[in-house]
Amino acid sequence: MNALAARRRHPAAIAVLLVLGLFLTGAVYAAVPPTRADATTKALPAQTAEEGRALFRANCASCHGLNAEGRPTGNGDNIAGPALAGVGAASVDFQMGTGRMPMAAPGVQAPAAGAGEVKFSDADIEAIGAYIASLAPGPAVPSDEAVDPTKGDAAAGGELFRVNCAMCHNFAGAGGALTRGKYAPAISSTISDKHIYEAMETGPQSMPVFGDNNLTPESTRDIVAFLDTIDAAESPGGMTLGSLGPVTEGLFAWVFGLGLLVGCAVWLGSKAA
Amino acid sequence: MNEHDTPATGSEVTPTSGPGAPVRLDQGHVVGEGGVPERFTNPGLPPHTPRMADLGEDAAKRAEKQVATLFGISMLGTVLFIVLYFAIDVEQTVFIPGIGLTSASNFALGVTLAMGMLGIGFGAVHWAKTLMPDEEIVESRHPMRSSQEAREGFVGTLSEGGSDAQLGRRPLIKYTLGGALGLFAVPLVVQVAGSLGPMPQKSLSLTFWNGGPSGPGEEPEFVPLRLVRDPENTPIKASDVTIGSVFHVLPEGLLDLEVHRLEEKAKAAVLLMRLDPDIIESQKELDWGYQGIVAYSKICTHVGCPVGLYEQQTHHLLCPCHQSTFDVTQDCKVIFGPAKRPLPQLAITVDDEGYLVSTQPFREAIGPSFWERGL
């Protein structure tokens, strides 16, 4: 106890206490995470465009309008939800299949839902897609063959990715910031090949459209193949530090590299006895 | 840190109480009483404290073993490095806790090299700290100036040599020698300045859209050039460009260049977007576009990064380097960030076959300001 009392006044004591406190808080939070409220009504499976329309009216119409014509918020030029004629079944499959729609709350970004948090069954999404596709022609959900990465050329896809995608989504697909709080999400291995393909076809949210007239279906498949390749690639350097390039790498070098040098300098300058 | 507690010898500022008493650092704030002496004298060196190894042969032996162990670790690390360099396949990966999956060769070579180098370093420092003499020594500095006789003797020798060589009597030799030595420096300067490359001339104001290669000394004749996709090198039909899409565009022929392709690409890169013509506010933007299809230079007017982040809903173009933001509906006016000028627009139309072509080169120099640009 005497030794503890003597160390209490050590200048590092406050820092050590702070770190201990933070760790404790983090550990408690990790052990007892707050539970999410779940207020979704589970809809019955539906197959046809007619049933899709009923599902749409029940779940989407409050923002997109009863007939998917879009709705203004009444606040300036802001819209609650855009008109959906012509966006196609691919757009519905992407937005609802990744859990971006229905949005939990209006905001600048529609974040994807985590694994297992998608509110609608595949059959429901297909039905709503059939309804939206019946309004006006638009991109359809791609076939399995169209998104098969084994049929794509990853090298060509890499070149296309660096020209068309990397400026927003980062050279390694790690994502990046856009204007005013929006961001380009990371394209990680958790996103299915089909959804990547659909995003390029339909241009969700801030993303521009890379339709078949811009990137041919083969080129789009090449990009999917490239993204699969970088997911599978092992990192020879160990920790990727988020693949963010010089920012995180520089921070690491400054904190740990320089810290090590400072520690050595202090040791060199201290007295042996 | 015991020596700090005992007052240093030979000092005027060492009373243990009253004005001028040394204040311990852990006593908090102590209000001074004005007892500052006239001048501070050199407190001298703190008293020497002998180390464990100075006092006992056992401790010295222990330190010796520690130093030898550190040097031994270094030898072990170096030998392991050589063995593992050949033993581990470069492609092999290994999971290291805290680092993740990493190249086994990189990791092993890094660790063994660190052992080899740090073993020597730590051993040497530990040796110096424990066994080498640590008595503080004061060495006075001596004046470095030579004696007056030596200096005069040197000057005498030098001027004697000069007059013996008849430098003063024969000025012609003196001046021609000076000229020869001085001129000899010129080739060196010429080489350095010459290898800086040609002056940019007009190349900073021209791009491939002027009709062809636009390097220094080249002034291409304008011809309308088709807009082609980068990197596919295929021409673009106006009907291909749907609202909300973005094309990364180069002039036709640029990707076929054998030399200076990247230099040309860095100036000629263009972003092609289609907007609803009703939301475009600038008449010039509409006139230089084609049914809402507009082409803008991709080179930021701030410091030349590629402005590639197009948000199709807000019609903002964002530069990833310094967050300059351009509004495409307002002729790419700067609405945020350090850029000072809007992005230059490329005037386009369609040719007989329906492909997009340029109607004129950029009307101003693209990219960041430069000296001759005048802005």
Side-chain angles (χ1 to χ4, degrees):
Chain A
M1 205 57 217
N2 217 358
L4 186 67
R7 297 236 160 97
R8 215 174 45 186
R9 288 171 181 233
H10 194 273
I14 290 177
V16 170
L17 264 182
L18 264 178
V19 170
L20 270 180
L22 283 173
F23 268 112
L24 200 68
T25 317
V28 169
Y29 187 85
V32 197
T35 47
R36 284 164 186 272
D38 187 5
T40 22
T41 44
K42 290 274 178 258
L44 293 168
Q47 297 297 329
T48 65
E50 196 53 41
E51 282 164 323
R53 190 167 77 131
L55 277 169
F56 181 87
R57 292 198 162 181
N59 294 287
C60 322
S62 58
C63 294
H64 290 289
L66 278 177
N67 296 306
E69 74 278 21
R71 266 195 60 221
T73 57
N75 176 17
D77 291 342
N78 292 343
I79 51 166
L84 296 180
V87 301
S91 186
V92 175
D93 190 60
F94 174 83
Q95 298 282 2
M96 300 188 70
T98 58
R100 285 178 165 80
M101 292 290 152
M103 267 174 102
V108 291
Q109 184 89 17
E117 289 176 12
V118 176
K119 309 287 190 215
F120 288 85
S121 70
D122 289 349
D124 289 347
I125 295 171
E126 206 175 306
I128 297 174
Y131 165 62
I132 295 296
S134 72
L135 301 175
V141 176
S143 66
D144 286 345
E145 201 206 338
V147 298
D148 187 357
T150 54
K151 293 194 168 70
D153 177 355
E159 196 175 359
L160 288 163
F161 183 86
R162 284 186 288 277
V163 172
N164 289 289
C165 323
M167 73 289 288
C168 296
H169 287 289
N170 167 300
F171 54 90
L178 296 174
T179 64
R180 301 182 186 179
K182 298 184 283 291
Y183 58 87
I187 315 173
S188 63
S189 53
T190 54
I191 302 174
S192 74
D193 295 334
K194 183 180 72 167
H195 288 148
I196 294 172
Y197 190 100
E198 286 167 351
M200 286 189 268
E201 288 282 300
T202 62
Q205 278 83 29
S206 298
M207 178 166 160
V209 183
F210 295 92
D212 288 347
N213 295 328
N214 185 354
L215 295 169
T216 61
E218 290 75 35
S219 299
T220 315
R221 184 166 63 187
D222 290 347
I223 292 176
V224 171
F226 168 72
L227 287 168
D228 266 38
T229 323
I230 57 171
D231 278 339
E234 289 162 343
S235 165
M239 258 190 290
T240 59
L241 301 174
S243 297
L244 293 179
V247 175
T248 47
E249 284 162 26
L251 185 71
F252 186 89
W254 278 100
V255 171
F256 289 93
L258 218 58
L260 203 68
L261 289 182
V262 168
C264 282
V266 168
W267 177 59
L268 280 172
S270 69
K271 292 221 164 203
Chain B
M1 297 291 160
N2 286 334
E3 63 269 28
H4 287 277
D5 295 339
T6 46
T9 49
S11 165
E12 284 179 7
V13 281
T14 53
T16 47
S17 64
V23 174
R24 283 170 57 95
L25 288 177
D26 55 357
Q27 280 177 331
H29 182 69
V30 175
V31 180
E33 291 160 39
V36 181
E38 291 265 307
R39 65 187 279 271
F40 290 93
T41 50
N42 179 5
L45 292 169
H48 178 69
T49 325
R51 300 163 301 184
M52 300 280 274
D54 297 333
L55 300 174
E57 187 53 29
D58 283 354
K61 271 258 186 286
R62 202 160 53 236
E64 183 190 355
K65 277 181 197 150
Q66 285 162 351
V67 173
T69 310
L70 283 166
F71 288 155
I73 288 175
S74 165
M75 287 194 280
L76 181 73
T78 310
V79 172
L80 270 178
F81 177 90
I82 297 165
V83 173
L84 295 179
Y85 179 84
F86 293 104
I88 299 183
D89 179 36
V90 180
E91 301 285 325
Q92 195 183 331
T93 53
V94 62
F95 182 82
I96 310 286
I99 297 178
L101 206 59
T102 183
S103 155
S105 177
N106 277 2
F107 184 77
L109 297 188
V111 168
T112 50
L113 206 61
M115 279 165 69
M117 283 164 56
L118 290 177
I120 297 175
F122 285 144
V125 172
H126 192 59
W127 179 15
K129 278 173 170 285
T130 51
L131 293 173
M132 288 188 195
D134 72 334
E135 300 274 354
E136 290 84 356
I137 305 167
V138 177
E139 278 188 70
S140 324
R141 197 157 52 179
H142 303 289
M144 293 181 64
R145 197 178 196 276
S146 305
S147 68
Q148 197 56 34
E149 301 93 83
R151 291 164 71 90
E152 277 162 11
F154 178 76
V155 172
T157 312
L158 204 66
S159 51
E160 201 179 309
S163 65
D164 283 357
Q166 305 186 359
L167 265 184
R169 275 178 58 207
R170 304 194 192 283
L172 187 60
I173 293 184
K174 190 162 78 182
Y175 294 133
T176 48
L177 175 66
L181 287 176
L183 264 182
F184 190 69
V186 175
L188 221 70
V189 176
V190 167
Q191 279 188 62
V192 172
S195 57
L196 292 176
M199 292 294 279
Q201 298 174 28
K202 281 191 178 172
S203 67
L204 292 177
S205 305
L206 302 176
T207 69
F208 201 89
W209 294 105
N210 284 73
S214 59
E218 289 172 316
E219 268 193 66
E221 189 93 348
F222 178 72
V223 283
L225 289 171
R226 275 185 180 166
L227 281 67
V228 299
R229 293 177 180 84
D230 175 27
E232 296 101 315
N233 204 10
T234 49
I236 303 164
K237 275 206 158 89
S239 54
D240 291 347
V241 190
T242 51
I243 285 186
S245 64
V246 59
F247 286 62
H248 296 264
V249 167
L250 292 174
E252 89 178 293
L254 190 151
L255 287 169
D256 307 322
L257 283 181
E258 299 279 322
V259 291
H260 302 312
R261 193 191 310 148
L262 285 179
E263 285 91 332
E264 296 292 349
K265 194 175 173 180
K267 293 191 292 178
V270 156
L271 212 58
L272 185 75
M273 295 145 286
R274 185 169 204 159
L275 285 70
D276 181 351
D278 291 341
I279 61 167
I280 295 180
E281 294 171 20
S282 154
Q283 189 55 43
K284 170 237 162 193
E285 180 175 355
L286 280 171
D287 293 346
W288 283 18
Y290 176 77
Q291 295 180 356
I293 305 176
V294 291
Y296 280 92
S297 166
K298 204 161 104 178
I299 314 303
C300 187
T301 53
H302 176 221
V303 286
C305 291
V307 186
L309 287 72
Y310 175 60
E311 296 177 7
Q312 62 127 331
Q313 287 189 334
T314 55
H315 312 291
H316 289 170
L317 262 174
L318 172 69
C319 180
C321 292
H322 306 100
Q323 282 68 50
S324 292
T325 310
F326 305 88
D327 189 341
V328 184
T329 63
Q330 298 183 63
D331 200 18
C332 276
K333 189 179 92 172
V334 183
I335 55 170
F336 181 80
K340 286 283 176 288
R341 290 188 305 278
L343 293 171
Q345 188 180 6
L346 181 73
I348 54 169
T349 184
V350 289
D351 63 10
D352 303 340
E353 293 172 64
Y355 289 110
L356 292 168
V357 291
S358 61
T359 59
Q360 58 181 30
F362 283 115
R363 290 282 288 273
E364 56 180 310
I366 55 96
S369 302
F370 49 95
W371 188 261
E372 299 90 335
R373 194 179 192 278
L375 278 170

